[in-house]
Amino acid sequence: MTNLTNSTCIAELQPSNRFLASAVVYGLVLAVGLPLNTASLWILLRGHGLRSPCAVLMVNLAASDLLLALSLPLRVYFYATLQWPFGVGTCTAAIMMFRVNIWTSCIFITLISLDRLVALVFPLRSRSLRTSACACKCCAVVWIIVTILCIPSIINMHRRFNQCANYTPCFEFQVLDMGKGSSPIALAQAIFLLILLVINIVSTVVVIVALRKRPSAGAAKVNNKMNVILIFAVNMLVFMIFFLPFALQLLAYKKDGGGETLRALICLASVNCCVDPLIYYFSLDSFWQDKGKKQTDVGTYSLSRSMERS
């Protein structure tokens, strides 16, 4: 069992099925997520570059997921051996890579949904707003704000880790740190995730209603409609499966009884980096094509333009 002291430190951990299960889950996520996101990022940059706002958002989402995948070998090692020889700084960085991925993934997925919604509902009026330059600025702002908000946690975490002279609990401290976090911060984080979920749900409903009101002439338009709906369905499912339970647990967390559930939900949240590439596939018509082939860069944009002509 894990013995918690009054400080950050944890008595040296003993092997258990829970730690073994964590090592297996993170290992599987690493085996799938690392090559999948590396390939996705390469395809996006090579085939699409930063020529459309949708592609810009997806490049940033893929980069965020790749950062998470790159931190997973350290998690696998820790839960497989229950030892941490890499120092306090490395552990702090690995934990923060996970946290940054959670927030940036949520925001970029929501921005992708909003971009698709605006492209479909306001295809002409949104042209001046939906530019690659605007998308790049938005992504830069997201990275900067999330990083700045993480700085106090990084400083506090590093200081408390240094109190453990004999044994560094590393990723087990992630759960303890969330439990010791102030209730207003946990509440604000959960509310923020719930707001993003509501935005995705509303966007999905609006798009489905808009598509039902427009005629479908030809198999190509029907296929594009299905792709549009699948984009929003995947976005919403990613939130509901991977992020919503995490947000609700932050609200309901009890230091004496919620640790095991929160550990499981942290594992679950990491799986999102394996599912996000589905968004790229359904969002870009020519995702698997090289840039030499003359196809429309963004599926929903081509759909909206074709419908404007009809």
Side-chain angles (χ1 to χ4, degrees), residues 37-38 40-41 44 57-67 280:
N37 284 285
T38 301
S40 296
L41 187 59
L44 286 167
L57 294 171
M58 290 179 187
V59 165
N60 281 270
L61 178 59
S64 175
D65 289 337
L66 188 57
L67 285 177
Y280 319 144

Side-chain angles (χ1 to χ4, degrees), residues 52-275:
S52 72
C54 187
V56 170
L57 294 171
M58 290 179 187
V59 165
N60 281 270
L61 178 59
S64 175
D65 289 337
L66 188 57
L67 285 177
L68 171 65
L70 290 173
S71 72
L72 292 181
L74 296 174
R75 287 182 179 266
V76 174
Y77 178 87
F78 175 78
Y79 284 112
T81 66
L82 300 182
Q83 300 297 321
W84 187 259
F86 305 113
V88 171
T90 304
C91 184
T92 304
I95 291 176
M96 296 318 299
M97 287 171 71
F98 171 84
R99 293 189 178 184
V100 168
N101 169 263
I102 291 292
W103 301 114
T104 53
S105 290
C106 292
I107 296 171
F108 289 140
I109 288 172
T110 304
L111 289 176
I112 290 171
S113 290
L114 289 175
D115 175 71
R116 304 295 80 223
L117 173 65
V118 172
L120 180 66
V121 179
F122 308 106
L124 298 178
R125 283 178 286 177
S126 64
R127 284 186 180 181
S128 59
L129 179 64
R130 292 185 59 255
T131 64
S132 298
C134 182
C136 288
K137 292 176 183 177
C138 289
C139 292
V141 169
V142 170
W143 285 108
I144 292 171
I145 291 178
V146 171
T147 301
I148 291 175
L149 292 177
C150 286
I151 288 177
S153 296
I154 293 173
I155 296 173
N156 184 54
M157 191 180 304
H158 194 275
R159 176 183 58 82
R160 291 166 64 186
F161 265 138
N162 283 327
Q163 298 173 1
C164 302
N166 299 322
Y167 183 71
T168 301
C170 198
F171 299 110
E172 281 297 285
F173 171 66
Q174 182 175 4
V175 179
L176 187 62
D177 180 61
M178 290 178 178
K180 288 186 175 181
S182 63
S183 298
I185 293 177
L187 178 63
Q189 292 174 342
I191 290 175
F192 180 70
L193 286 173
L194 292 174
I195 290 173
L196 295 181
L197 173 62
V198 170
I199 292 174
N200 279 274
I201 293 175
V202 171
S203 299
T204 302
V205 172
V206 171
V207 165
I208 291 176
V209 171
L211 289 176
R212 287 175 63 89
K213 292 181 178 179
R214 297 190 177 186
S216 294
K221 288 186 179 181
V222 172
N223 183 62
N224 279 339
K225 279 190 175 186
M226 289 303 301
N227 281 355
V228 172
I229 294 174
L230 286 172
I231 294 168
F232 287 89
V234 171
N235 287 356
M236 191 168 58
L237 287 175
V238 166
F239 258 91
M240 296 184 70
I241 295 174
F242 301 113
F243 299 136
L244 179 60
F246 182 75
L248 295 178
Q249 184 62 19
L250 284 178
L251 289 175
Y253 185 85
K254 302 296 182 183
K255 187 169 62 176
D256 297 329
E260 296 297 323
T261 302
L262 190 55
R263 290 183 183 96
L265 293 179
I266 290 172
C267 279
L268 180 63
S270 68
V271 180
N272 83 89
C273 73
C274 300
V275 181

